[in-house]
Amino acid sequence: QSCHRPAGQRAGPEPGSGGLPEGVEYIPTRKRGKNPMKPVGVAWYSLYARTRLGYLFYQRQVKKARERYPHGHSVPQPCCFPGMKILPIPVLSNNYSYLVIDTGSSRAAVVDPSDPLAVQAAIEEEGVMLEAIFCTHKHWDHSGGNAALCQKHSSCKVYGSALDAIPQLTNPLTDREKVSVGCLTFEALATPGHTVGHMVYVLDGEPFGSPPCLFSGDLLFLAGCGRPFEGSPETMLASLDVAVGLGEDTLLWPGHEYALECLTFASLLELDNSALEQKLQWAVQQRQDKRSTCPSTLGEEQTYNPFLRTHRPELQEALGLWQDGGEDPDAFRARVLKEVRRRKDLYQAT
């Protein structure tokens, strides 16, 4: 596998659409791949997130994904900078885990190890020592590999929020807390909404001549964002604003390969957005070749991701929403976000 520096590709189109009852979520999948959260209502979410049924369901999903995608759902495209390497690991039907390596010391961390076999294979191929697991949140498709990897790597520590029931958690983190793995420095940012304890991790790229790297879990996807299962639109908006505040050159490494579905949905909202049209065209070609669509940049995302464009008059007008006299600007943006989310949840049915 050769390393590449992320290009500033812009992107392009493929159909896919839908509509589901109120309170039921569609989380898009690549082609017909199974997704452990589709469709999900309040009762099912409660069972998935809080009982052993969720773990059994996750195990079933892992088994099916290994059979269907023995080499992963996408072709891995490592990203290298002097002294540092990021290896996306395609797992389940559309998830990504990330192996982040300090190449000088061969010490490594993994973000959201969904499938421990796939992650362990990458560790062995790279010849590195796993020192840390960073979990963005408790859902099994992001944390299901923790136990097996900790058994294999006895000194490995598991980091995440104490507010989420993260399996094997050894080192609870608070907002803005930093962790070093070799020369790698990760900063944890509290981003509640998808779950109450959701966290994202920002890798400081400066020592390696790299932009900052955001491992966003289910907060932010290419052209999309996660559903606020355990938070309000206001909570999710505040968390998205935290991500945007990291800067336009920040590389976005999301938890799922949802690019085509999210871009196609976004194109129905903003018909005359040229950046969106170009990104969609690019993404179609990437996915036809089974190549990953990550990373993008936060600067790019603000040109086409509707969940980051709640302040844009063209999106507000497309949704038929106007700010009420005296309405707080952030309250209005939360109302816009809620409407985009509602439409996204209904999108897949037709």
Side-chain angles (χ1 to χ4, degrees), residues 71-105:
H71 304 294
H73 58 74
S74 302
V75 178
Q77 299 175 78
C79 180
C80 296
F81 294 92
M84 183 261 285
K85 179 177 183 179
I86 298 173
L87 176 63
I89 306 171
V91 290
L92 303 184
S93 62
N94 53 41
N95 281 71
Y96 285 112
S97 301
Y98 295 98
L99 187 63
V100 188
I101 303 168
D102 169 11
T103 57
S105 66

Side-chain angles (χ1 to χ4, degrees), residues 177-195:
E177 192 169 350
K178 294 183 178 181
V179 178
S180 293
V181 177
C183 293
L184 308 170
T185 301
F186 295 84
E187 182 177 12
L189 300 178
T191 50
H194 185 68
T195 66

Side-chain angles (χ1 to χ4, degrees), residues 27-29 33-38 57 61 93-94 141 256 258:
I27 298 183
T29 61
K34 298 293 184 181
N35 187 296
M37 303 293 287
K38 168 194 158 194
F57 194 80
Q61 294 300 320
S93 62
N94 53 41
D141 62 322
H256 291 269
Y258 288 163

Side-chain angles (χ1 to χ4, degrees), residues 247-323:
E248 293 189 353
D249 66 335
T250 301
L251 300 181
L252 173 65
W253 300 94
H256 291 269
E257 180 57 68
Y258 288 163
L260 279 185
E261 293 84 354
C262 290
L263 286 164
T264 303
F265 166 73
S267 71
L268 300 176
L269 298 180
E270 293 194 68
L271 302 179
D272 299 320
N273 186 325
S274 60
L276 172 56
E277 182 182 352
Q278 289 176 352
K279 192 70 179 179
L280 183 52
Q281 290 167 357
W282 172 82
V284 166
Q285 186 59 57
Q286 289 290 105
R287 297 313 296 153
Q288 284 176 350
D289 298 336
K290 295 187 177 179
R291 293 196 302 267
S292 168
T293 57
C294 58
S296 62
T297 69
L298 292 182
E300 273 191 285
E301 291 298 315
Q302 291 173 71
T303 67
Y304 52 66
N305 187 329
F307 295 96
L308 300 185
R309 292 172 59 77
T310 54
H311 62 294
R312 300 293 299 186
E314 54 267 46
L315 178 62
Q316 297 164 5
E317 184 178 346
L319 296 171
L321 295 176
W322 289 268
Q323 188 172 357

Side-chain angles (χ1 to χ4, degrees), residues 32-85:
R32 299 291 182 194
K34 298 293 184 181
N35 187 296
M37 303 293 287
K38 168 194 158 194
V40 60
V42 174
W44 169 239
Y45 176 73
S46 220
L47 290 171
Y48 178 83
R50 298 182 176 93
T51 72
R52 182 165 174 77
L53 178 64
Y55 180 67
L56 296 175
F57 194 80
Y58 152 78
Q59 287 185 313
R60 179 171 172 265
Q61 294 300 320
V62 170
K63 181 175 182 293
K64 288 192 170 185
R66 286 173 181 170
E67 292 170 354
R68 179 162 188 173
Y69 306 110
H71 304 294
H73 58 74
S74 302
V75 178
Q77 299 175 78
C79 180
C80 296
F81 294 92
M84 183 261 285
K85 179 177 183 179

